[in-house]
């Protein structure tokens, strides 16, 4: 890639009033090293309830590189990131959190990898300072489980800090699903990708916007959006339990007619078996319900998001102005 390029940095924020000034200053300083290329920083306010939007407007007034998008309510980080992709104009689009856990200085190296031919550049975490042992362990276990559960080669130890070429962004825009597990969707694209390692820093201020409940939803989206194996597991559970029940019934009949047993005992074990079978049935119904719920969400064909306000009021591809 030769000539002057435009690089977009998409920053979804939610109640980050304490950190937006520091992030903007550090990100701007980092992007000054792009060797003569131009850049834009697209902040997407995902329905913040604090002073985030007011601060962003002040920043945009003083910095022509900053563009703003304000969603009508909190749609969640994957949707806010999608809005940023829709509004970005760059030859590359890098997504990064605004809490300064991910270093903006790494963007320069990611752009260099793009110039060398990579369409997707992942930032992989070598260390994760400031996170609990439970979160680190659960994240490692989940990402490796997800690789086994799906046919998509999703890189491990990567989050939402990544660079996409314009070709990759346009291809991602052709995927309109509502349940958006972006890490899997980007991996599904299959373009040439590279990985850059970094040490993740603690949050500058505030607390994580991804508590356990949201993390579990994200994990479910990852599995259910890219794999039908939960349904296959439910099917095999049905086969195994049915076979076990058939063998059990046949054994009791043989024992009864051969005189090995003359009375039926063990009511407690029967109750346990019945509860186990009911549990398997509910598990199977639950898996079916999750897939059906996603089908219901998709067939409604609602826009992914609504935009309340932008710095330019330019409509997007996936959302609409409220």
């Amino acid at each position: 890639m030769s000539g002057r390029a435009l690089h977009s940095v998409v920053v979804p924020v939610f109640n980050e009033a304490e950190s937006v000034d520091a992030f903007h200053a550090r990100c701007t300083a980092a992007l000054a090293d792009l060797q003569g290329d131009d850049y834009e920083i697209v902040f997407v306010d995902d329905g913040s309830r604090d002073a985030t939007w007011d601060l962003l407007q002040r920043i945009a007034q003083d910095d022509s590189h900053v563009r703003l998008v304000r969603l009508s309510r909190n749609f969640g980080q994957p949707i806010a990131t999608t809005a940023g992709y829709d509004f970005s104009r760059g030859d590359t689009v890098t997504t990064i959190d605004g809490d300064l856990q991910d270093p903006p200085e790494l963007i320069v190296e990611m752009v260099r990898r793009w110039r060398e031919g990579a369409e997707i550049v992942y930032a992989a975490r070598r260390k994760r300072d400031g996170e609990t042992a439970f979160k680190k362990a659960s994240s490692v276990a989940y990402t490796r489980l997800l690789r086994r559960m799906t046919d998509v080669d999703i890189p491990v130890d990567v989050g939402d800090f990544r660079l996409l070429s314009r070709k990759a962004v346009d291809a991602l825009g052709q995927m309109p699903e509502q349940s958006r597990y972006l890490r899997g969707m980007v991996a599904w694209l299959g373009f040439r990708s590279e990985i850059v390692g970094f040490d993740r820093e603690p949050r500058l201020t505030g607390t994580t916007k991804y508590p356990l409940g949201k993390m579990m939803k994200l994990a479910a989206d990852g599995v259910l959006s890219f794999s039908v194996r939960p349904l296959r597991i439910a099917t095999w559970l049905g086969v195994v339990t049915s076979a076990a029940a058939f063998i059990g019934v046949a054994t009791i009949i043989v024992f009864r007619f051969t005189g090995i047993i003359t009375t039926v005992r063990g009511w407690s074990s029967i109750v346990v078996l019945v509860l186990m079978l009911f549990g398997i049935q509910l598990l199977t119904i639950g898996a079916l319900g999750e897939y059906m719920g996603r089908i219901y969400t998709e067939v409604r064909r609602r826009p992914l998001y609504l935009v309340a306000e932008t710095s330019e009021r330019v409509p997007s591809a996936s959302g609409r102005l409220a």
Side-chain angles (χ1 to χ4, degrees):
M1 177 63 66
S2 61
R4 185 178 175 88
L6 173 64
H7 304 285
S8 299
V9 179
V10 170
V11 192
V13 291
F14 175 63
N15 292 343
E16 295 286 358
E18 296 177 343
S19 62
V20 290
D21 279 317
F23 174 86
H24 171 254
R26 184 170 165 184
C27 188
T28 300
L31 296 176
D33 294 330
L34 285 174
Q35 300 179 352
D37 287 350
D38 200 2
Y39 69 88
E40 64 176 8
I41 305 175
V42 183
F43 285 97
V44 183
D45 185 351
D46 190 21
S48 295
R49 294 185 292 270
D50 61 2
T52 298
W53 181 250
D54 294 333
L55 293 173
L56 289 176
Q57 287 182 305
R58 178 179 56 78
I59 291 172
Q61 288 176 353
D62 298 332
D63 186 351
S64 60
H65 293 283
V66 173
R67 301 173 61 219
L68 306 179
V69 181
R70 186 183 191 186
L71 303 187
S72 62
R73 63 172 177 84
N74 179 248
F75 286 87
Q77 186 179 30
I79 301 297
T81 302
T82 300
Y85 282 137
D86 291 339
F87 278 82
S88 66
R89 303 175 298 194
D91 300 293
T92 73
V93 183
T94 302
T95 53
I96 184 173
D97 292 339
D99 54 16
L100 287 178
Q101 284 191 280
D102 302 329
E105 294 79 9
L106 194 63
I107 296 175
V108 176
E109 172 63 19
M110 298 166 79
V111 168
R112 186 182 71 80
R113 300 293 184 95
W114 165 73
R115 285 192 173 278
E116 293 174 352
E119 302 286 353
I120 303 171
V121 183
Y122 297 101
R125 296 164 291 205
R126 293 185 299 247
K127 293 174 57 179
R128 304 177 66 169
D129 295 335
E131 296 184 3
T132 64
F134 171 76
K135 186 170 183 179
K136 293 177 184 178
S138 60
S139 177
V140 169
Y142 169 70
T143 53
R144 283 155 178 79
L145 174 64
L146 185 61
R147 284 172 67 91
R148 292 180 177 272
M149 290 283 289
T150 69
D151 297 325
V152 179
D153 187 17
I154 302 175
V156 298
D157 301 322
V158 302
D160 296 310
F161 188 16
R162 71 179 78 86
L163 177 147
L164 301 184
S165 68
R166 174 50 54 184
K167 180 195 295 186
V169 171
D170 291 342
L172 192 65
Q174 300 177 45
M175 304 168 67
E177 53 254 46
Q178 298 277 338
S179 299
R180 303 184 70 78
Y181 185 68
L182 286 174
R183 300 173 195 179
M185 294 170 68
V186 171
W188 183 89
L189 296 177
F191 294 123
R192 175 183 167 183
S193 62
E194 293 192 17
I195 296 178
V196 178
F198 75 101
D199 297 331
R200 201 173 201 213
E201 304 172 15
R203 283 182 61 90
L204 180 66
T205 59
T207 58
T208 178
K209 303 303 186 298
Y210 261 88
L212 181 60
K214 286 188 176 182
M215 290 299 296
M216 292 180 65
K217 181 182 182 302
L218 182 66
D221 285 340
V223 173
L224 298 177
S225 297
F226 290 90
S227 175
V228 295
R229 290 190 181 179
L231 295 178
R232 293 174 182 168
I233 292 172
T235 300
W236 280 109
L237 283 174
V239 171
V240 171
T241 53
S242 297
F246 177 80
I247 294 171
V249 170
T251 301
I252 291 174
I253 292 174
V254 171
F255 283 2
R256 180 71 176 84
F257 281 96
T258 57
I260 297 177
I261 58 173
T262 57
T263 58
V264 179
R265 297 178 181 176
W267 292 105
S268 58
S269 60
I270 292 175
V271 170
V272 170
L273 288 173
V274 169
L275 290 176
M276 182 187 72
L277 293 175
F278 271 118
I280 293 173
Q281 288 179 335
L282 291 174
L283 179 66
T284 304
I285 293 172
L288 289 171
E290 287 289 339
Y291 283 100
M292 291 180 64
R294 279 162 171 73
I295 294 172
Y296 171 69
T297 300
E298 296 297 333
V299 299
R300 289 184 298 186
R301 305 298 298 170
R302 293 179 180 174
L304 291 178
Y305 55 85
L306 294 176
V307 177
E309 185 177 356
T310 76
S311 54
E312 298 140 348
R313 294 195 64 79
V314 178
S316 67
S318 299
R320 68 177 63 151
L321 291 169

